[in-house]
Amino acid sequence: MKRILSVLLVFLMAAPLLAQENYKTLSKEDSLKIYNGASTYDVKSYSATFKKQKPKNIILMIGDGMGTAQVFAGITANGGHLFLDNFKHVGFSKTQSASDYVTDSAAGGTALAAGYKTYNGAIGVDKDTIAHPSVLEKAEEKGLATGLVSTSAITHATPASFIAHQPSRSMYEEIAADFMNTDIDVFIGGGYKHFTERKDGRNLVNELESKGYTVLQDMNKIEKVKKGKLAGLTAYEHNGRAPERDGMLPKATDKAISLLKNNKDGFFLMVEGSQIDWGGHQNNTIYIVEEVLDFDQSIGKALEFAAKDKETLIIVTADHETGGLGINKGNINKQNVKGGYTTGSHTAVMVPVFAFGPGAENFTGIMENTDIPKRISELLGL
């Protein structure tokens, strides 16, 4: 009975969040289901030659809500190629949570971060609300540099799963406070209000500065930081859509790598393209495609580094698919694509896993989402 009451309490706490997240409002305009092409970008091919069989650094990149249809919509929109073309080791991840056949981003993020299944809504805790360290926290404990980058609030479900331990994803202020319990080197994303406008009266920006962090809100200033710990809080809550962000995600990915690479023992970085999911919730093909292309250009920044460094493994996957996207019509030469949808929510289908770098062969075939952090931990000796 206590267990039932505990889980019920968690879901009641999460209920206001589900009602307030306006990106989950379904779009009604049929025109939004058709992406009619726009400017494209060049995709470079990189040599897959590496120094050793195991990586020194790992970059985990999560396209929230990104299934195979979302990937191919991006391929079509960019004229037939993405930076993902460089990833020759490909597999699939099963995404079910401990409580539901269809996971949410909190349980999906926790599975990718810490290697265990939990109930929908949980952040860094198991089905009995017991906290376990994430791969980021284990990397930090071993002396590696660590970082998080996201286009959502940095306290949102996926990035939170790597650094926080709370029974409900709706506990944004508690999640922000959990950042103070770590020595993460770099984090860039939205959520400024969760650090400053708090019920407990704490100003976590002041606390971060007292711990030696440079805290900035302007991406142009963030790009100029050359060393030290960095907290980039780039939006009051969530960052805007890709056309409004002026390349924030590729720039933040590049900046995080440039700071983390200075650690002689290596680094672990998680980068999330949050809003592919939001386009899926809205059944908005234009939104999805713009976010996939933005995420892919961030992958391009990681690839540019990894190809030169030759000691870095990049893993690209998703926490789940969103929207039940099907591609009903399109033209690669004209870069247009028409999407069809089965739902405004998540689906239970497997999602792709792509890997490039030393150890990439460990991420092929069909696997559980929990296998991904376990294999990361093995490769980094965590």
Side-chain angles (χ1 to χ4, degrees), residues 133-196:
S134 71
V135 65
L136 183 148
E137 292 171 306
K138 290 191 288 186
E140 180 185 292
E141 185 176 342
K142 194 184 177 186
L144 278 67
T146 57
L148 289 175
V149 172
S150 180
T151 58
S152 70
I154 202 70
T155 49
H156 207 230
T158 303
S161 297
F162 285 80
I163 201 163
H165 304 278
Q166 298 296 337
S168 172
R169 61 182 288 177
S170 65
M171 300 170 71
Y172 282 152
E173 293 184 11
E174 291 83 355
I175 290 166
D178 279 348
F179 276 77
M180 311 311 297
N181 300 326
T182 78
D183 288 316
I184 186 172
D185 294 272
V186 179
F187 60 94
I188 305 172
Y192 184 82
K193 76 171 189 177
H194 304 133
F195 289 79
T196 56

Side-chain angles (χ1 to χ4, degrees), residues 36-86:
N36 276 318
S39 60
T40 60
Y41 55 87
D42 291 333
V43 170
K44 185 176 178 180
S45 296
Y46 290 97
S47 172
T49 57
F50 313 108
K51 292 181 180 178
K52 299 178 181 178
Q53 291 184 323
K54 288 190 175 182
K56 176 182 176 182
N57 316 304
I58 291 183
I59 304 171
L60 175 60
M61 307 189 74
I62 301 174
D64 198 310
M66 186 182 74
T68 54
Q70 284 83 351
V71 171
F72 194 68
I75 288 172
T76 301
N78 201 48
H81 297 285
L82 294 177
F83 281 107
L84 272 173
D85 291 5
N86 286 277

Side-chain angles (χ1 to χ4, degrees), residues 5 16 22 35 105-107 118 178 188 202 233 242 250 260 285 288 300 306 312 315 317-318 321 325-326 372 374:
L5 290 174
N22 58 13
Y35 180 87
S105 292
T118 190
D178 279 348
I188 305 172
R202 292 172 67 184
L233 295 170
L260 296 175
T285 307
I288 289 171
T312 300
I315 304 153
T317 190
E321 192 276 343
L325 174 62
I372 293 172
K374 289 175 183 176

Side-chain angles (χ1 to χ4, degrees), residues 11 13-22 24 104 169-170:
F11 282 110
M13 291 168 67
L17 172 81
L18 298 176
Q20 293 168 8
E21 293 196 338
N22 58 13
K24 294 182 179 177
D104 80 327
R169 61 182 288 177
S170 65

Side-chain angles (χ1 to χ4, degrees), residues 7 14 50 113 125 138 175 205 218 236 245 252 278 293 312 323 334:
V7 174
F50 313 108
V125 297
K138 290 191 288 186
I175 290 166
V205 165
D218 187 297
Y236 179 70
R245 293 196 301 264
W278 303 3
L293 298 181
T312 300
K334 295 180 180 179

Side-chain angles (χ1 to χ4, degrees), residues 6 41-42 62 130 143 155 162 217 219 294 330 333 336 351:
S6 174
Y41 55 87
D42 291 333
I62 301 174
I130 297 170
T155 49
F162 285 80
Q217 294 178 264
M219 197 62 221
D294 180 69
N333 293 325
N336 61 43
V351 294

